[in-house]
Amino acid sequence: MAITSSFVYVLSTLSSIGTTFGSSMLEPVISISAETERSGASINNRSADAVRMGRGQLAVITAVLAAVLLTAPLLTDDVSAESVTIYGYVSDISNEEGNTPIQGVEVTLLDSTYNVLATSSTDENGRFTFTYEDTDNASFLEFSYSGYTIRTVPSTSMSLTDNNIVQFSIAQLTPDEEGNYALSGNGYSAYAIGMAATTGVLYGYVQGTDGGDPFYVEGAVVTAVSDPGRSYSTTTNSDGYFEMTVDYGTYTLTVSCSGFQTSESVTAYTGTPTFVTLDENTSGFLWNLDTPHTMMLFGLILVGVVVLLTFILIRKSRMPDSEIVVVDDMPEESVDVDDRIEHP
């Protein structure tokens, strides 16, 4: 550590200074003792000179010590850590109309072993910021927002892992004017960190028309089928409104209702309203049914009549008390009186 190295450096320097100047300060005292034996008269003068010399050397030691304390951190081998500031933007890409910033996304900064270093959240512009020491070995960012998951990240600075965790690197990034590193574009940019809803809502309105002003259709059956083939269904309310909670994605929508022609397939997107207009049947024969449904109804009626007659005949033939009545519907022959007279 830098403090330990500085302390050792100061101690070694003071030891060297003490050895050098300590010997120098003792020399006048030793000289005074020797001279005392030869001449007692000059002791006071030499003592005064020794004191003055000692004060001068003490001043030198003090100055050197101050210089050592000031330069010790610069002369040690340990280099202090530097601060790094990164920032980025999170955008909602669920809306087909364009990206929009997401506020309130919880972002967690992790080191290379997934230990938490700091946490933050996005502001109204979808921006998050972290400042950390370059020795922290920050390597990952984890994003959390209810009902959403990470779908896209800028390839120049991030790579997507699982569980909404992305790995980032600033090695190929150029710092901005303030020396900070932008991991993505702004919240409206295609280069933002894109999150999309794991579930979405299909909603819209069904209207009918008979050649005049359109009107809302109540009770229309709305069926939505996803690309993988999963199906959802609901009916419209009195305002012609329908709504379904579905998996996020694109759907094929069809609408049917009695008295109206079935709609053509419509492409619908979660989070985007869908409007469908039904045409009233003008070729209905019975109960406002169209031709195919009318023929189907007549067919069902015919099958029902045949089944009923067959059942009656079979039941009657198996009754034990039933009598077989033979009806002679042949007309009686009239016999002429003359035909009964035998002629010789």
PDB file of all heavy atoms in Angstrom, residues 165-182:
ATOM      1  N   ILE A 165     -28.205  -9.554 -17.613  1.00  0.00           N
ATOM      2  CA  ILE A 165     -26.856  -9.109 -17.257  1.00  0.00           C
ATOM      3  C   ILE A 165     -26.047  -8.930 -18.539  1.00  0.00           C
ATOM      4  O   ILE A 165     -26.063  -9.796 -19.411  1.00  0.00           O
ATOM      5  CB  ILE A 165     -26.156 -10.116 -16.327  1.00  0.00           C
ATOM      6  CG1 ILE A 165     -26.911 -10.227 -15.000  1.00  0.00           C
ATOM      7  CG2 ILE A 165     -24.711  -9.713 -16.076  1.00  0.00           C
ATOM      8  CD1 ILE A 165     -26.314 -11.228 -14.034  1.00  0.00           C
ATOM      9  N   VAL A 166     -25.380  -7.782 -18.643  1.00  0.00           N
ATOM     10  CA  VAL A 166     -24.536  -7.516 -19.810  1.00  0.00           C
ATOM     11  C   VAL A 166     -23.102  -7.255 -19.350  1.00  0.00           C
ATOM     12  O   VAL A 166     -22.866  -6.702 -18.272  1.00  0.00           O
ATOM     13  CB  VAL A 166     -25.046  -6.297 -20.622  1.00  0.00           C
ATOM     14  CG1 VAL A 166     -26.446  -6.550 -21.149  1.00  0.00           C
ATOM     15  CG2 VAL A 166     -25.020  -5.031 -19.789  1.00  0.00           C
ATOM     16  N   GLN A 167     -22.172  -7.679 -20.156  1.00  0.00           N
ATOM     17  CA  GLN A 167     -20.763  -7.413 -19.888  1.00  0.00           C
ATOM     18  C   GLN A 167     -20.350  -6.186 -20.690  1.00  0.00           C
ATOM     19  O   GLN A 167     -20.736  -6.030 -21.844  1.00  0.00           O
ATOM     20  CB  GLN A 167     -19.903  -8.607 -20.281  1.00  0.00           C
ATOM     21  CG  GLN A 167     -18.442  -8.482 -19.887  1.00  0.00           C
ATOM     22  CD  GLN A 167     -17.678  -9.764 -20.149  1.00  0.00           C
ATOM     23  OE1 GLN A 167     -18.156 -10.653 -20.847  1.00  0.00           O
ATOM     24  NE2 GLN A 167     -16.478  -9.872 -19.587  1.00  0.00           N
ATOM     25  N   PHE A 168     -19.584  -5.297 -20.066  1.00  0.00           N
ATOM     26  CA  PHE A 168     -19.193  -4.072 -20.758  1.00  0.00           C
ATOM     27  C   PHE A 168     -17.673  -3.879 -20.701  1.00  0.00           C
ATOM     28  O   PHE A 168     -16.980  -4.456 -19.867  1.00  0.00           O
ATOM     29  CB  PHE A 168     -19.893  -2.852 -20.152  1.00  0.00           C
ATOM     30  CG  PHE A 168     -19.385  -2.455 -18.785  1.00  0.00           C
ATOM     31  CD1 PHE A 168     -18.384  -1.503 -18.652  1.00  0.00           C
ATOM     32  CD2 PHE A 168     -19.905  -3.033 -17.630  1.00  0.00           C
ATOM     33  CE1 PHE A 168     -17.911  -1.128 -17.404  1.00  0.00           C
ATOM     34  CE2 PHE A 168     -19.439  -2.667 -16.382  1.00  0.00           C
ATOM     35  CZ  PHE A 168     -18.436  -1.721 -16.265  1.00  0.00           C
ATOM     36  N   SER A 169     -17.203  -3.051 -21.615  1.00  0.00           N
ATOM     37  CA  SER A 169     -15.775  -2.711 -21.667  1.00  0.00           C
ATOM     38  C   SER A 169     -15.642  -1.316 -22.249  1.00  0.00           C
ATOM     39  O   SER A 169     -16.357  -0.945 -23.181  1.00  0.00           O
ATOM     40  CB  SER A 169     -15.017  -3.719 -22.541  1.00  0.00           C
ATOM     41  OG  SER A 169     -13.677  -3.309 -22.727  1.00  0.00           O
ATOM     42  N   ILE A 170     -14.724  -0.537 -21.673  1.00  0.00           N
ATOM     43  CA  ILE A 170     -14.491   0.823 -22.172  1.00  0.00           C
ATOM     44  C   ILE A 170     -13.195   0.905 -22.967  1.00  0.00           C
ATOM     45  O   ILE A 170     -12.748   1.992 -23.327  1.00  0.00           O
ATOM     46  CB  ILE A 170     -14.454   1.839 -21.005  1.00  0.00           C
ATOM     47  CG1 ILE A 170     -13.292   1.517 -20.049  1.00  0.00           C
ATOM     48  CG2 ILE A 170     -15.779   1.872 -20.276  1.00  0.00           C
ATOM     49  CD1 ILE A 170     -13.089   2.560 -18.968  1.00  0.00           C
ATOM     50  N   ALA A 171     -12.609  -0.251 -23.262  1.00  0.00           N
ATOM     51  CA  ALA A 171     -11.296  -0.279 -23.920  1.00  0.00           C
ATOM     52  C   ALA A 171     -11.336   0.387 -25.293  1.00  0.00           C
ATOM     53  O   ALA A 171     -10.387   1.063 -25.690  1.00  0.00           O
ATOM     54  CB  ALA A 171     -10.806  -1.715 -24.035  1.00  0.00           C
ATOM     55  N   GLN A 172     -12.435   0.230 -26.028  1.00  0.00           N
ATOM     56  CA  GLN A 172     -12.534   0.775 -27.375  1.00  0.00           C
ATOM     57  C   GLN A 172     -13.351   2.061 -27.432  1.00  0.00           C
ATOM     58  O   GLN A 172     -13.686   2.527 -28.514  1.00  0.00           O
ATOM     59  CB  GLN A 172     -13.150  -0.267 -28.310  1.00  0.00           C
ATOM     60  CG  GLN A 172     -12.319  -1.547 -28.422  1.00  0.00           C
ATOM     61  CD  GLN A 172     -12.930  -2.528 -29.402  1.00  0.00           C
ATOM     62  OE1 GLN A 172     -13.942  -2.248 -30.032  1.00  0.00           O
ATOM     63  NE2 GLN A 172     -12.317  -3.685 -29.532  1.00  0.00           N
ATOM     64  N   LEU A 173     -13.675   2.613 -26.274  1.00  0.00           N
ATOM     65  CA  LEU A 173     -14.469   3.835 -26.234  1.00  0.00           C
ATOM     66  C   LEU A 173     -13.583   5.052 -26.036  1.00  0.00           C
ATOM     67  O   LEU A 173     -12.544   4.985 -25.387  1.00  0.00           O
ATOM     68  CB  LEU A 173     -15.497   3.768 -25.098  1.00  0.00           C
ATOM     69  CG  LEU A 173     -16.526   2.642 -25.176  1.00  0.00           C
ATOM     70  CD1 LEU A 173     -17.456   2.705 -23.979  1.00  0.00           C
ATOM     71  CD2 LEU A 173     -17.314   2.718 -26.478  1.00  0.00           C
ATOM     72  N   THR A 174     -14.004   6.151 -26.587  1.00  0.00           N
ATOM     73  CA  THR A 174     -13.307   7.433 -26.435  1.00  0.00           C
ATOM     74  C   THR A 174     -14.051   8.275 -25.404  1.00  0.00           C
ATOM     75  O   THR A 174     -15.272   8.447 -25.518  1.00  0.00           O
ATOM     76  CB  THR A 174     -13.253   8.188 -27.772  1.00  0.00           C
ATOM     77  OG1 THR A 174     -12.585   7.372 -28.739  1.00  0.00           O
ATOM     78  CG2 THR A 174     -12.488   9.501 -27.624  1.00  0.00           C
ATOM     79  N   PRO A 175     -13.367   8.774 -24.403  1.00  0.00           N
ATOM     80  CA  PRO A 175     -14.063   9.585 -23.390  1.00  0.00           C
ATOM     81  C   PRO A 175     -14.615  10.870 -23.993  1.00  0.00           C
ATOM     82  O   PRO A 175     -14.095  11.393 -24.981  1.00  0.00           O
ATOM     83  CB  PRO A 175     -12.978   9.859 -22.348  1.00  0.00           C
ATOM     84  CG  PRO A 175     -11.687   9.676 -23.075  1.00  0.00           C
ATOM     85  CD  PRO A 175     -11.923   8.634 -24.115  1.00  0.00           C
ATOM     86  N   ASP A 176     -15.676  11.384 -23.387  1.00  0.00           N
ATOM     87  CA  ASP A 176     -16.260  12.631 -23.872  1.00  0.00           C
ATOM     88  C   ASP A 176     -15.460  13.818 -23.349  1.00  0.00           C
ATOM     89  O   ASP A 176     -14.359  13.655 -22.805  1.00  0.00           O
ATOM     90  CB  ASP A 176     -17.734  12.723 -23.463  1.00  0.00           C
ATOM     91  CG  ASP A 176     -17.911  12.657 -21.940  1.00  0.00           C
ATOM     92  OD1 ASP A 176     -16.927  12.884 -21.207  1.00  0.00           O
ATOM     93  OD2 ASP A 176     -19.036  12.379 -21.489  1.00  0.00           O
ATOM     94  N   GLU A 177     -16.003  15.024 -23.522  1.00  0.00           N
ATOM     95  CA  GLU A 177     -15.283  16.234 -23.130  1.00  0.00           C
ATOM     96  C   GLU A 177     -15.009  16.289 -21.638  1.00  0.00           C
ATOM     97  O   GLU A 177     -14.054  16.932 -21.198  1.00  0.00           O
ATOM     98  CB  GLU A 177     -16.087  17.469 -23.562  1.00  0.00           C
ATOM     99  CG  GLU A 177     -16.249  17.588 -25.078  1.00  0.00           C
ATOM    100  CD  GLU A 177     -17.085  18.784 -25.458  1.00  0.00           C
ATOM    101  OE1 GLU A 177     -17.631  19.443 -24.528  1.00  0.00           O
ATOM    102  OE2 GLU A 177     -17.195  19.078 -26.662  1.00  0.00           O
ATOM    103  N   GLU A 178     -15.836  15.628 -20.848  1.00  0.00           N
ATOM    104  CA  GLU A 178     -15.652  15.631 -19.402  1.00  0.00           C
ATOM    105  C   GLU A 178     -14.827  14.444 -18.916  1.00  0.00           C
ATOM    106  O   GLU A 178     -14.637  14.256 -17.715  1.00  0.00           O
ATOM    107  CB  GLU A 178     -17.010  15.628 -18.713  1.00  0.00           C
ATOM    108  CG  GLU A 178     -17.854  16.862 -19.031  1.00  0.00           C
ATOM    109  CD  GLU A 178     -19.212  16.811 -18.364  1.00  0.00           C
ATOM    110  OE1 GLU A 178     -19.519  15.770 -17.739  1.00  0.00           O
ATOM    111  OE2 GLU A 178     -19.966  17.800 -18.454  1.00  0.00           O
ATOM    112  N   GLY A 179     -14.366  13.625 -19.849  1.00  0.00           N
ATOM    113  CA  GLY A 179     -13.556  12.471 -19.479  1.00  0.00           C
ATOM    114  C   GLY A 179     -14.360  11.249 -19.083  1.00  0.00           C
ATOM    115  O   GLY A 179     -13.802  10.288 -18.560  1.00  0.00           O
ATOM    116  N   ASN A 180     -15.667  11.274 -19.328  1.00  0.00           N
ATOM    117  CA  ASN A 180     -16.525  10.147 -18.984  1.00  0.00           C
ATOM    118  C   ASN A 180     -16.773   9.279 -20.212  1.00  0.00           C
ATOM    119  O   ASN A 180     -16.620   9.720 -21.354  1.00  0.00           O
ATOM    120  CB  ASN A 180     -17.851  10.650 -18.416  1.00  0.00           C
ATOM    121  CG  ASN A 180     -17.654  11.532 -17.209  1.00  0.00           C
ATOM    122  OD1 ASN A 180     -16.724  11.344 -16.435  1.00  0.00           O
ATOM    123  ND2 ASN A 180     -18.540  12.515 -17.039  1.00  0.00           N
ATOM    124  N   TYR A 181     -17.219   8.047 -19.972  1.00  0.00           N
ATOM    125  CA  TYR A 181     -17.401   7.084 -21.057  1.00  0.00           C
ATOM    126  C   TYR A 181     -18.885   6.770 -21.245  1.00  0.00           C
ATOM    127  O   TYR A 181     -19.573   6.362 -20.305  1.00  0.00           O
ATOM    128  CB  TYR A 181     -16.645   5.791 -20.757  1.00  0.00           C
ATOM    129  CG  TYR A 181     -15.148   5.954 -20.750  1.00  0.00           C
ATOM    130  CD1 TYR A 181     -14.485   6.327 -19.581  1.00  0.00           C
ATOM    131  CD2 TYR A 181     -14.397   5.745 -21.904  1.00  0.00           C
ATOM    132  CE1 TYR A 181     -13.103   6.485 -19.564  1.00  0.00           C
ATOM    133  CE2 TYR A 181     -13.015   5.895 -21.899  1.00  0.00           C
ATOM    134  CZ  TYR A 181     -12.377   6.261 -20.724  1.00  0.00           C
ATOM    135  OH  TYR A 181     -11.013   6.414 -20.711  1.00  0.00           O
ATOM    136  N   ALA A 182     -19.383   6.967 -22.470  1.00  0.00           N
ATOM    137  CA  ALA A 182     -20.778   6.674 -22.811  1.00  0.00           C
ATOM    138  C   ALA A 182     -20.873   5.255 -23.348  1.00  0.00           C
ATOM    139  O   ALA A 182     -20.260   4.916 -24.357  1.00  0.00           O
ATOM    140  CB  ALA A 182     -21.294   7.667 -23.846  1.00  0.00           C
TER     141      ALA A 182
END
